[in-house]
Amino acid sequence: MPSSLLSSIVELPPLSIEDDDDGRSAPTRLIRRFRLTLDSTIVELSSLGASVTSVLLPRHNDGPSREDDDDDGHYHNHDDVVLSYASPLHQLYDGNRPYFGAIVGRVANRICDGKFHLMQRATNATGENDDGDADDITTKETYSLDKNDGPNHLHGGYDGFSNRIWDATVVSSSSSNDDDDDAEEEVRFELTSHNGDQGYPGGVVVMASYSLVRVVVDGRDGGAEGRVGARLRLVMRAHLAHGETLATPICLAGHSYFNLAGHSSPNRILDHVLRLPRCERYTPLNGASIPTREVRRVFDDDDDEVGVRGGSAMDFFTMGRSFRDALIVYGTEVVGLDRADAIANVSSRRDLAARVPAPDGGTGSNLVGSVVPYGLDHNYVIDGLDVDDGASTARLVAVLSHPPTRRSLRVYTTAPGLQVYTANYLDGNTPRPELCKDGSSYERWQGLCLETQTYPDSIYASDDDVDENDEFARGRCFVLRPGGTGYHHVVEYEFLTAVDFGFSVKAFRDRLRCITMKYKNIERDVAHKRAEEQRVSELKRYGDQTRWLSKCAEKEATVDQIREANLKARQAAEDEQRRLLIEKQGSRQREFAKKDSDQRIVVEMHRQRTEQERNEREMQRICETSDELKDLEQKLKIAYVNKERAAQYQEKLLLRKLENDREQAIEEKMDYDRQLDIQRQEEREKHRRMIQSAQKDVLQKQMLEKEEQKEKLKDETARDNKMIDDIIAKIKKEDELERESRTKKVEETRALVARYQHERRLQKEAIEKEQRLQEAEIQAYNKMMEQRHLKQEADRKRIESAKKRQWEKVVETTQNQMQTKEEYETLRNMFWEEELEAKQKKEEEDAIGRQMQQREEMMQENKAQIAAKKEMLEKMEQEERELVERMLQKFARDEEDELRMEENRCLFKQRYMAEANQQRQERGAILQQEKEREAKETEAQKKREEQRQRIIEEAKRLLLQKHAARLEGFLPKISKGDEQLLKKINT
């Protein structure tokens, strides 16, 4: 890995633990802190729990500017996107009950009832079998753990790995293809857990390594192609301590709370969007948040057959969805709240329903038990990653994005499970605000945990207990055994900014199909409900009439003939009403059957015309945006309403006619007794009027309900149309941006050409200047050589004159010595004796010998100097000849280089002229192509407009043809063109 892609690691000043009154901590222990910096991404770590305490991301692509850094080391142009304490000391003394940013273990997540079973190997009492060899005995042992989550064990117990101070070092790890200079630096934390720690068997050595590297996003998995991001890599390893003979389960997980808007964002994570591209299934929970060992899909099989997904509260696989929408659906589907109460609960900062009774059983429930938390705390199954595979390459499992800040977090892992936790148990006071960063109050749903791990409560005693068909066992907890492989778990958090939240046509089409199916289901349910209400109303009315007539018959026991006539008339009316009702129901059933048949025909036609899907989508878009078709559809809806009102009015007239006929028959047969029963008749008439008024009230109520349903459908249609208009406006805006970028690229190309010409001109001037400097250097060198010759000649003359003077001095000295000798001999003869003379003579002879020796040495030295001078002169002449020769060769080479440069300049000029001509021709061709393209676009626009008009006319014709026969006599007022079209249809 190139060193430019690596981060720098700086160790911050450590924090010392002060000894409290109870002596629970030692003053010599230090909490070491580290800061990892890569470009504009900053990560801070702590040796307390091997925790991630800060992740700083820039605002608006700002880099880390130290000018904005205050004395405390805070970056004001960055946002901290993880929840944490203000200081590791606060985390230590408060106990870190939310497990902010820590490594949790020895086994992450919950263990039911705080106990598990595990097969252990032990030697027998004798230590040898019948053959004399050691005999291993396997026993099933039960281990009890701390119960720190009600009846369950959670994240390693009260004193788990999250509350321990780990040993920290900064190490360099280089791959086989890298040099030592490109070694990747990482912060490595190490912890030793002894046998019996929190109830677990066996001693374990745990290591967690953090490194921050730059990565290039390749455009797959929903990323922006060619963008550079920062990836925080966490590698967790574990092995048994030296000499350990007991097996133990191990499952480590990072427990960081992420909020891409900032750890203290007032919107919490409600505006975050989560997508789980590999999580199509999850493990349901019971009332104690323990998995039921069932693996269930996030969407219903019926929805999968229809092709409509995204309705389940647990579904983040089909498409990305915001937590606001997911939590509202969770409240309606799982908790059982009304939609209004669910919206109020999500919008409120106060926990209105922290624990709500859950449904017992139920296929739509993802929890089974007595109580459930409001929010997600579920394990998702990562497809393609099993505990038996031992995958070494991390794969993308989650994409968390925040559209307002254009930030995203992508999670890669080698684990088989992903725990999604929405911080349901944070209540603003746990922990207290004064202990948190910036004094923030962390409320529920303030952050999101994406914990990669094995499945919760998945410790199996041995591999023999695993069923091949048990899907839950594929994510079982890893067990360290003597002589077995070690634990290895990799999770990577990739932070990106300015991610392209592009529009997905497929997702929009699926969503539109979902909405259409939803509206059809609503219309069908409304129709069935209206028919059922009408049937119940008819039965109730006839029941009331039957009871009233029976009471009259009991009072009129003496009038048998009249009673028989009344019964016959009533039976005839009931038969007629029943016949009309059966005919009406049969007609409605035929209409429904016809609608179903039409729907099947449409589906079959859609299947046969898959090759024309693009044209059909264009026709659909045109029809949806056509005001004429909208007006025509609105008129047809009004016509259907008028027709239904007319039918109801006819039914009312028929009922009234039947009622009048029956009363007339009764009056004709009871005329002789009318005077006696005037009071009774008045009561009967009053009761009849009350029934009629009640029927009128029922009809008015039904009309009001129909009007409300129509208004509701109209509002929903308006919202859908607005959503489609917004999407079309967004597409147009993106086209404008693409056109502007194309224009900008053309201008940049022109600027590059101009700059290249300017650089060539400057380069030519520099070459000419360099040639002038070389000529000046040659002239200076020639002048220096002339001065050197003159200086050498002067030195030679000076040396010769000096030697001549020295020789004359030697001669003069010799003469003086001879004269002194003669004088000395005269004095000796005069004043000294013979012995003195002999001694003096001997001394003189010695002096003369020394003088002669000195003279010979001087002569030899003079000869050596003369030879050295001669040799030096010859050497200087040789050097001068060589220098002249080199200069001549250099001049020849320079002349050849000048000729080649001249040829290259000519070739470059020709090539530049050719390139300029080619660019001029290309620009002309581009302009011509632009003109042709504009002409083609204009012609295509005209064709599209004509096609649009044809499509609208065809749609009008189909609508009128479809509804003309049904709405005969109730057609709305239409334009002259539509009247002509209707005449053509009738002919």
Side-chain angles (χ1 to χ4, degrees), residues 209-449:
S209 302
Y210 290 89
S211 61
L212 187 64
V213 296
R214 184 189 296 118
V215 294
V216 178
V217 183
D218 57 1
R220 295 175 294 182
D221 300 326
E225 185 174 0
R227 294 195 58 82
V228 176
R231 179 179 294 181
L232 179 62
R233 178 180 174 88
L234 171 58
V235 181
M236 291 169 280
R237 301 182 181 89
H239 61 83
L240 291 176
H242 180 69
E244 186 58 56
T245 59
L246 294 177
T248 184
I250 188 74
C251 174
L252 304 178
H255 206 281
S256 295
Y257 290 71
F258 295 99
N259 190 323
L260 298 181
H263 68 95
S264 59
S265 172
N267 292 330
R268 297 172 285 178
I269 60 169
L270 298 180
D271 51 355
H272 285 53
V273 178
L274 177 64
R275 183 170 65 88
L276 305 178
R278 289 183 179 272
C279 301
E280 193 176 356
R281 298 174 297 169
Y282 73 102
T283 55
L285 306 176
N286 60 16
S289 297
I290 299 296
T292 60
R293 296 187 177 270
E294 176 189 1
V295 177
R296 187 181 298 173
R297 302 181 71 182
V298 296
F299 48 84
D300 296 332
D301 294 335
D302 295 336
D303 293 342
D304 188 32
E305 293 174 0
V306 176
V308 180
R309 298 179 180 177
S312 173
M314 311 301 297
D315 186 8
F316 295 90
F317 171 80
T318 304
M319 64 179 69
R321 62 192 305 183
S322 67
F323 279 98
R324 187 183 302 276
D325 181 26
L327 291 172
I328 291 174
V329 177
Y330 185 91
T332 57
E333 289 187 358
V334 180
V335 182
L337 301 176
D338 294 334
R339 183 172 178 81
D341 295 337
I343 293 173
N345 201 325
V346 171
S347 301
S348 174
R349 290 191 167 274
R350 188 167 53 87
D351 196 356
L352 303 180
R355 285 189 170 272
V356 181
D360 295 331
T363 58
S365 174
N366 62 71
L367 297 104
V368 180
S370 58
V371 291
V372 296
Y374 193 102
L376 297 179
D377 192 7
H378 296 74
N379 173 66
Y380 284 82
V381 177
I382 301 177
D383 294 335
L385 292 178
D386 297 336
V387 70
D388 294 332
D389 295 341
S392 60
T393 303
R395 302 182 186 178
L396 178 66
V397 297
V399 178
L400 179 67
S401 57
H402 186 243
T405 58
R406 299 181 69 80
R407 292 176 180 148
S408 68
L409 168 64
R410 308 205 302 176
V411 181
Y412 300 78
T413 188
T414 58
L418 175 66
Q419 185 81 9
V420 177
Y421 173 52
T422 54
N424 310 322
Y425 295 103
L426 296 181
D427 57 0
N429 293 319
T430 305
R432 300 191 305 274
E434 59 268 22
L435 300 179
C436 300
K437 285 189 289 191
D438 301 331
S440 304
S441 176
Y442 293 151
E443 302 175 357
R444 63 167 183 164
W445 308 333
Q446 187 70 36
L448 176 67
C449 292

Side-chain angles (χ1 to χ4, degrees), residues 106-107 116-122 137-143 145 193-197 199-204 239-241 243-250 459-463 477-485:
R106 182 178 302 189
V107 175
F116 66 94
H117 306 284
L118 196 64
M119 302 297 292
Q120 299 285 4
R121 291 186 177 274
I137 301 174
T138 302
T139 59
K140 186 175 184 180
E141 302 290 340
T142 301
Y143 298 95
L145 310 175
S193 177
H194 57 82
N195 182 16
D197 187 9
Y200 288 95
V204 178
H239 61 83
L240 291 176
E244 186 58 56
T245 59
L246 294 177
T248 184
I250 188 74
I459 301 176
Y460 286 72
S462 66
D463 295 338
C477 183
F478 190 88
V479 178
L480 290 173
R481 298 187 181 277
T485 58

Side-chain angles (χ1 to χ4, degrees), residues 59-221:
R59 302 192 190 109
H60 307 294
N61 295 328
D62 291 335
S65 174
R66 295 304 301 183
E67 297 177 358
D68 296 334
D69 185 8
D70 58 14
D71 297 334
D72 296 332
H74 295 156
Y75 289 88
H76 296 293
N77 57 349
H78 284 62
D79 289 329
D80 196 346
V81 298
V82 294
L83 280 63
S84 181
Y85 287 87
S87 170
L89 296 177
H90 296 166
Q91 175 182 344
L92 176 66
Y93 297 134
D94 192 60
N96 195 9
R97 285 171 288 176
Y99 307 96
F100 284 151
I103 302 294
V104 295
R106 182 178 302 189
V107 175
N109 220 310
R110 294 175 175 85
I111 298 177
C112 183
D113 294 332
K115 63 181 178 181
F116 66 94
H117 306 284
L118 196 64
M119 302 297 292
Q120 299 285 4
R121 291 186 177 274
T123 58
N124 58 7
T126 61
E128 293 182 354
N129 56 13
D130 297 335
D131 297 331
D133 299 329
D135 186 17
D136 291 339
I137 301 174
T138 302
T139 59
K140 186 175 184 180
E141 302 290 340
T142 301
Y143 298 95
S144 298
L145 310 175
D146 293 339
K147 296 181 180 180
N148 60 331
D149 184 45
N152 304 321
H153 175 82
L154 176 64
H155 292 329
Y158 292 107
D159 190 18
F161 292 170
S162 58
N163 294 327
R164 309 283 180 87
I165 298 179
W166 299 45
D167 295 330
T169 55
V170 178
V171 297
S172 298
S173 60
S174 58
S175 62
S176 59
N177 298 328
D178 297 338
D179 298 331
D180 293 337
D181 295 336
D182 295 335
E184 177 184 351
E185 284 191 335
E186 62 182 18
V187 179
R188 181 174 298 172
F189 298 97
E190 185 172 351
L191 179 68
T192 301
S193 177
H194 57 82
N195 182 16
D197 187 9
Q198 305 299 306
Y200 288 95
V204 178
V205 179
V206 182
M207 289 174 290
S209 302
Y210 290 89
S211 61
L212 187 64
V213 296
R214 184 189 296 118
V215 294
V216 178
V217 183
D218 57 1
R220 295 175 294 182
D221 300 326

Side-chain angles (χ1 to χ4, degrees), residues 615-858:
N615 295 332
E616 291 180 358
R617 287 200 304 269
E618 184 66 21
M619 291 172 63
Q620 182 181 1
R621 187 182 66 81
I622 293 171
C623 292
E624 289 177 353
T625 57
S626 175
D627 296 334
E628 298 178 4
L629 289 176
K630 290 179 181 178
D631 295 338
L632 183 58
E633 290 177 354
Q634 190 66 24
K635 291 177 181 179
L636 291 174
K637 289 180 181 179
I638 294 172
Y640 272 109
V641 172
N642 293 333
K643 182 178 179 182
E644 188 175 356
R645 288 179 179 175
Q648 292 177 356
Y649 183 71
Q650 291 294 333
E651 292 176 1
K652 185 176 179 182
L653 291 177
L654 181 60
L655 290 173
R656 188 176 295 173
K657 182 179 179 182
L658 292 173
E659 187 70 20
N660 293 332
D661 292 341
R662 186 178 63 81
E663 290 178 358
Q664 185 176 0
I666 293 172
E667 288 178 358
E668 288 177 355
K669 292 183 179 182
M670 295 179 64
D671 189 42
Y672 65 95
D673 203 15
R674 187 178 297 274
Q675 296 299 329
L676 297 175
D677 297 333
I678 290 176
Q679 186 176 1
R680 188 183 302 165
Q681 187 67 25
E682 289 177 355
E683 293 177 358
R684 192 181 295 119
E685 184 67 20
K686 183 177 180 181
H687 189 64
R688 186 182 63 79
R689 289 177 181 176
M690 290 175 62
I691 292 173
Q692 288 180 352
S693 63
Q695 291 177 353
K696 187 182 295 183
D697 293 339
V698 171
L699 291 175
Q700 290 178 356
K701 186 176 180 181
Q702 291 178 355
M703 294 297 293
L704 289 175
E705 290 179 354
K706 291 179 182 178
E707 291 295 333
E708 290 177 357
Q709 292 175 359
K710 290 175 184 177
E711 291 295 332
K712 186 176 180 181
L713 291 174
K714 185 176 180 181
D715 293 341
E716 292 178 353
T717 305
R719 285 196 299 271
D720 294 340
N721 293 334
K722 184 179 179 181
M723 180 183 68
I724 295 171
D725 293 340
D726 293 341
I727 293 171
I728 293 171
K730 184 177 180 181
I731 294 172
K732 290 181 179 179
K733 186 176 180 181
E734 290 177 354
D735 294 339
E736 289 293 334
L737 293 175
E738 184 178 0
R739 195 177 297 110
E740 290 177 0
S741 65
R742 193 184 302 117
T743 306
K744 186 176 180 181
K745 287 181 181 178
V746 172
E747 292 177 356
E748 289 177 354
T749 305
R750 292 176 180 172
L752 286 173
V753 171
R755 188 170 61 195
Y756 180 72
Q757 293 176 352
H758 181 66
E759 289 178 355
R760 290 302 305 165
R761 186 161 53 253
L762 293 177
Q763 187 178 4
K764 186 176 180 182
E765 293 176 357
I767 292 172
E768 293 176 354
K769 185 177 179 180
E770 186 178 358
Q771 290 176 354
R772 289 194 296 271
L773 290 174
Q774 289 178 356
E775 292 175 357
E777 289 177 357
I778 292 171
Q779 293 177 1
Y781 180 76
N782 293 332
K783 186 176 180 180
M784 183 187 69
M785 291 302 298
E786 292 176 0
Q787 292 176 357
R788 185 177 180 183
H789 283 298
L790 294 174
K791 186 177 179 181
Q792 289 177 355
E793 187 67 24
D795 291 340
R796 185 178 61 79
K797 291 179 179 180
R798 188 174 64 254
I799 291 170
E800 289 179 354
S801 61
K803 292 180 73 175
K804 186 177 181 181
R805 287 194 301 272
Q806 187 177 5
W807 177 254
E808 291 176 353
K809 186 176 180 180
V810 170
V811 173
E812 185 178 0
T813 302
T814 305
Q815 291 176 357
N816 292 333
Q817 288 178 355
M818 292 300 291
Q819 187 177 359
T820 303
K821 181 180 177 182
E822 292 176 354
E823 292 177 354
Y824 197 77
E825 287 179 352
T826 304
L827 290 173
R828 188 194 60 183
N829 293 328
M830 292 175 63
F831 300 102
W832 300 89
E833 297 178 352
E834 286 297 332
E835 186 178 355
L836 184 61
E837 286 181 1
K839 186 176 180 180
Q840 187 69 31
K841 186 176 180 179
K842 186 176 181 181
E843 290 178 357
E844 288 176 359
E845 289 177 356
D846 293 339
I848 291 171
R850 285 195 298 272
Q851 290 177 359
M852 292 302 292
Q853 187 177 0
Q854 290 177 358
R855 183 176 179 183
E856 288 178 0
E857 290 177 357
M858 189 179 296

